[in-house]
Amino acid sequence: MPKPVPDQKLRRAEALDALDSVLPFDRRDFLAELLTDDDVATLRHLAKEGIGENSLRALASDLGYLEAWSLAATGFSLPWPAPEVLLIKFVAHHLWDPAKRETDVSHGMPEDVTAALKSAKLLRVDGPHAPNTVRRRLSSWSTLTGWRGLVGNFSAPGLRSAIKLAVRASARPRGRKSKKAVTADILTVLLKACAGDRLVDVRDRAVLITAFASGGRRRSEIASLRFEQIVEEEPVPADPKAPDGEKLPCLSIRLGRTKTTQADSDAFVLLVGRPVLALKGWLERAGITEGAVFRGIDRWGNLEKRALTPQAVNLILKRRIAKAGLDPQAFSAHGLRSGYLTETARRGIPLPEAMQQSQHRSVQQASNYYNDAERTLGRAARVII
């Protein structure tokens, strides 16, 4: 895979420095190896246009992968706009029939392309990709083409047919983002694994309980949470049926721009009781009065100014899962989101009320967690036991 000369790489890395809040430092150097000057200019233009940080981060990641794949598969950087034949080649390299591969080594992604992408740590799977991953990268490719003022071939009948046939041939079952949900019982075990007075323990307890109790917030939302989004509210009754009884502390989190809400949205979620105490305890201990709420902590226990990345939130969960004696491979940060909805279903909380806290837009998607919980607790599978 050809690499840019040092001066080119340095120029691109410096240009990507303008995206400091979006791209991790080590990622910028890596992308400077792959992206062209026009690619970098496009990303900076998108940032100036106000595209969301998470969307821009995903576009940059997909663009880096596409450029690396093009260099490995064709020997050249991506052409803009891409011809239909190249789009179909991308599909053929990523969605294929494992059974046919056993008798035809030329089927699917060529070995040299696979080796190049694996050496760049861009490819982890040995089999065909997930159809949704391929569709997302094609969508990013289309978006970037449009932002360059060009018209692509992404709606061409030949490409649509190729995707349809390839998805059927790859026969890859869809898996959940987290094999297991982090329900209340699992969360209790995790919080015990965070027991301690170290700064990192206080932070991790606050991260996990805030993410769960606020409706299963996405890891990107937890990573980007800022002090200014947190609003002190009047204490609320511990028992809604006894308004004059014991009161619990309450905070609201103004969501701003998320995957399902816009920056000017008034959407908010509430924290009540223990999660409020955990979050306030972290803010007071860390002395945070503005900016990022959840931040890195170095190996010596010192607080950093830089906010956690979404990947760091996932690693915190996995590290605490391992410390609790559970399997880190079975859980991811998305398990906090699915776990919240699963727990509300177990407790008989109405779906609309749960969705108000989780901010799911799709009833069908949210109800899947309810359906799973109800099926395991129901009688239909217990006809003969």
Side-chain angles (χ1 to χ4, degrees), residues 276-345:
V276 174
L277 300 179
L279 181 56
K280 280 188 170 182
W282 158 249
L283 293 172
E284 292 170 5
R285 175 72 179 273
I288 295 172
T289 56
E290 62 178 2
V293 169
F294 296 117
R295 308 181 184 188
I297 297 173
D298 67 24
R299 68 182 69 180
W300 298 282
N302 299 313
L303 185 69
E304 300 176 346
K305 292 183 178 180
R306 188 185 295 271
L308 291 177
T309 64
Q311 293 82 359
V313 174
N314 196 46
L315 289 174
I316 286 171
L317 175 81
K318 286 182 174 289
R319 185 167 60 245
R320 296 302 179 173
I321 284 286
K323 188 171 182 181
L326 303 174
D327 180 11
Q329 297 298 319
F331 294 89
S332 74
H334 189 266
L336 291 163
R337 189 159 177 78
S338 60
Y340 171 81
L341 283 173
T342 302
E343 191 64 35
T344 57

Side-chain angles (χ1 to χ4, degrees), residues 84 88 153-166:
E84 183 180 346
I88 293 175
N153 296 287
F154 297 91
S155 296
L159 178 62
R160 291 205 304 267
S161 178
I163 293 174
K164 183 177 180 180
L165 292 172

Side-chain angles (χ1 to χ4, degrees), residues 58-111:
L59 283 172
S61 177
D62 285 343
L63 179 55
Y65 181 88
L66 291 168
E67 284 286 12
W69 170 80
S70 182
L71 286 168
T74 71
F76 299 97
S77 295
L78 286 175
W80 300 91
E84 183 180 346
V85 66
L86 186 63
L87 300 176
I88 293 175
K89 180 191 283 287
F90 180 80
V91 172
H93 278 198
H94 293 83
L95 295 174
W96 39 271
D97 182 356
K100 187 174 181 180
R101 180 66 172 261
E102 293 179 2
T103 58
D104 182 2
V105 293
S106 65
H107 180 68
M109 185 179 289
E111 291 184 1

